[in-house]
Amino acid sequence: MTPAPATLDRTKIDAAQAAVSCRGVVKEFGGGHTLVTALRGVDLDVPFGEMTLLVGPSGCGKTTLLSVIAGILDPTRGEVHVLGVDVPRLSGGRKVAFRGKNIGFVFQQYNLLPALTAAENVAVPLMIGGVSRNAAVAKALTLLPKVGLANRMNSLPSQLSGGEQQRVAIARALIHEPRFLVCDEPTAALDAENGHKILELMHEVAVSPTRAVVIVTHDNRIFSFGDRIATMEDGRIVNVESKK
């Protein structure tokens, strides 16, 4: 069930506690008669050591905000600091390097490489980072059982169900131990048991003084896992509820 409305909380978190700080973030697409404003002055703080859930109706701007925070889209206006870095001001190459080192991504499209096994897909971020193939795959083999895929490690994506592919994508996002994990509907293809297992793992990652997790979700089964729930409507944050 969606959290009950509460007084809008725009209290700023001390900079030392904020993994993400957004101030007045606007994102526009197109121009003239085709101008679409997806974000309308978003203020949001994501603390270190917490899992923040971003909820709200379809089309309210959740995925756009997630993409701006992750440095995939640049804001039209406003400030976005991630792990103390002004990400929109980074050059293209430095931005890619920053994301590769610090951010783990789980998006609705699994984007698995069809010719690689589950373990090899999970190992890809480490190999891109310069880890040898053998060492990267060995680490992937220790992580896949944690997402319930101990018996599917050598399977190709075409041999996996949608839920299994989702879990491979989640393991891939976690393998390089990112300081910041962003997820778009990570439990959409999962049953309750596996969804809870994944959220427990993600919360374990989040509970660290140097890490944070943001999850966009419509799945009210996982609301209890959130340390902080930010509700969006029409491109704005309208409520922030903290359990701490």
Side-chain angles (χ1 to χ4, degrees), residues 22-178:
C22 297
R23 293 289 176 265
V25 173
V26 173
K27 181 60 182 177
E28 298 172 341
F29 296 96
H33 295 300
T34 64
L35 178 68
V36 174
T37 304
L39 301 177
R40 302 172 181 271
V42 170
D43 292 339
L44 179 67
D45 289 307
V46 176
F48 283 112
E50 292 189 12
M51 177 184 288
T52 298
L53 303 186
L54 193 58
V55 305
S58 296
C60 71
K62 300 186 302 297
T63 296
T64 300
L65 178 57
L66 197 71
S67 297
V68 169
I69 290 172
I72 295 170
L73 295 175
D74 286 331
T76 304
R77 293 186 295 279
E79 298 181 3
V80 181
H81 288 82
V82 180
L83 305 177
V85 175
D86 189 346
V87 175
R89 292 185 180 273
L90 294 177
S91 65
R94 291 179 64 200
K95 189 180 296 183
V96 170
F98 176 81
R99 289 199 307 256
K101 180 179 179 181
N102 295 291
I103 302 178
F105 299 92
V106 181
F107 290 115
Q108 292 188 56
Q109 293 77 27
Y110 312 132
N111 297 326
L112 302 182
L113 299 173
L116 301 185
T117 66
E120 290 166 338
N121 267 287
V122 172
V124 164
L126 290 181
M127 290 189 284
I128 291 174
V131 177
S132 71
R133 182 187 181 282
N134 287 345
V137 171
K139 186 169 183 179
L141 294 176
T142 69
L143 183 56
L144 281 166
K146 294 183 179 180
V147 296
L149 293 175
N151 62 343
R152 306 294 274 160
M153 294 189 285
N154 294 316
S155 298
L156 297 173
S158 61
Q159 299 169 320
L160 301 174
S161 68
E164 288 170 336
Q165 291 182 49
Q166 178 76 308
R167 283 180 274 164
V168 171
I170 290 166
R172 180 181 59 192
L174 293 171
I175 193 163
H176 64 299
E177 300 179 7

Side-chain angles (χ1 to χ4, degrees), residues 176-204:
H176 64 299
E177 300 179 7
R179 293 184 64 198
F180 182 44
L181 182 64
V182 293
C183 312
D184 195 356
E185 301 287 359
T187 60
L190 304 180
D191 58 30
E193 180 181 355
N194 282 310
H196 279 224
K197 183 182 298 183
I198 292 301
L199 264 294
E200 287 170 356
L201 179 60
M202 289 185 178
H203 197 271
E204 181 182 324

Side-chain angles (χ1 to χ4, degrees), residues 51 53 186-187 195-196 199 215 217 219-226:
M51 177 184 288
L53 303 186
T187 60
H196 279 224
L199 264 294
I215 297 176
T217 185
D219 187 353
N220 58 16
R221 299 174 301 174
I222 70 170
F223 283 7
S224 62
F225 287 92

